[in-house]
Amino acid sequence: MIRVLLADDHHIVRLGLRAVLAVADDIEIVGEAETADDAVRRVREGGVDVVLMDLRFGAGQAGQDRESGAQATARIREIPGHPEVLVVTNYDTDVDILGAVDAGAVGYLLKDAPPEELIAGVRAAAKGETVMSGAVATRLQHREEERESALSPRELDVLQLVAGGRSNREIGTVLFLSEATVKSHLAHIYAKLGVRSRTSAVAAARAAGIL
């Protein structure tokens, strides 16, 4: 039996989650939490396998600041034998998603996910498997592709000198690099910008706001 804690400050949302999960005979709701603090406190009591965590809550530990679900997730991850945390929220910005993932959430689903996706997500989370809604997975994939295509600081140095009309030898002298290394940097720059020449690289970089 997968023991689930519902952590959301909206009663009607918790009722909805209960209704969805009630049809699964291998899932049991063992508690509810209205604040981030309540969620962490309930986890410390034990007997929880998966926490369904919202991202926006009421007052946090000090009773003043609003503690987020990501912060609560990080605290839960510090508890020995901690349960897995599956974020279920309406928020899908990069900041929200990455904050939750960095905090240690095993998955991220949106509240408009189909009931069967939520149930499957709980089962997967209980096994420690990564769970991502389609929209979130796509956003993370695009972000990773952007990161991989971003120019490194050294590549940007090279490109700026190329834009200034410097030759490979001159670039090497300015940056204390061999011509072979400069050519290697240029090859990477071309690949990342999807171009085949120095002129095209400079034009593409300017169009993208890199230069």
Side-chain angles (χ1 to χ4, degrees):
M1 186 67 70
I2 303 172
R3 300 164 298 180
V4 175
L5 171 66
L6 305 179
D8 194 294
D9 57 349
H10 293 96
H11 181 60
I12 193 168
V13 172
R14 299 197 303 274
L15 286 176
L17 292 174
R18 275 186 175 275
V20 170
L21 298 177
V23 304
D25 57 12
D26 59 338
I27 296 176
E28 176 186 6
I29 307 300
V30 296
E32 298 185 7
E34 294 184 357
T35 69
D37 281 345
D38 287 341
V40 176
R41 187 179 307 111
R42 179 61 185 81
V43 167
R44 290 187 187 283
E45 295 174 358
V48 178
D49 300 311
V50 176
V51 180
L52 297 191
M53 180 75 74
D54 193 10
L55 287 183
R56 309 289 172 87
F57 284 92
Q61 296 181 73
Q64 298 176 348
D65 298 329
R66 296 178 66 84
E67 187 171 40
S68 70
Q71 291 172 311
T73 296
R75 292 170 60 197
I76 287 173
R77 295 285 297 180
E78 296 175 350
I79 300 173
H82 62 78
E84 298 293 351
V85 177
L86 174 58
V87 169
V88 181
T89 185
N90 287 322
Y91 308 100
D92 64 349
T93 67
D94 286 354
V95 172
D96 288 320
I97 296 169
L98 294 176
V101 172
D102 289 344
V106 73
Y108 199 109
L109 296 179
L110 299 179
K111 287 180 179 176
D112 61 359
E116 58 272 17
E117 184 176 345
L118 178 61
I119 293 173
V122 170
R123 290 170 175 160
K127 299 176 184 177
E129 299 175 356
T130 300
V131 182
M132 292 288 170
S133 68
V136 171
T138 298
R139 186 184 292 273
L140 289 177
Q141 178 63 32
H142 286 167
R143 186 179 181 86
E144 179 63 19
E145 291 173 352
E146 291 173 358
R147 186 190 67 78
E148 291 179 352
S149 65
L151 298 183
S152 69
R154 179 56 78 191
E155 289 166 351
L156 184 57
D157 289 339
V158 170
L159 188 56
Q160 288 174 331
L161 291 172
V162 168
R166 301 294 186 94
S167 67
N168 287 355
R169 177 173 295 182
E170 290 172 331
I171 292 172
T173 299
V174 172
L175 299 179
F176 302 101
L177 301 173
S178 68
E179 283 192 63
T181 299
V182 173
K183 290 180 180 179
S184 177
H185 283 312
L186 282 172
H188 290 148
I189 291 169
Y190 293 170
K192 290 180 178 181
L193 296 179
V195 299
R196 296 184 178 181
S197 70
R198 300 163 75 92
T199 301
S200 296
V202 172
R206 284 175 174 162
I210 297 174
L211 289 179

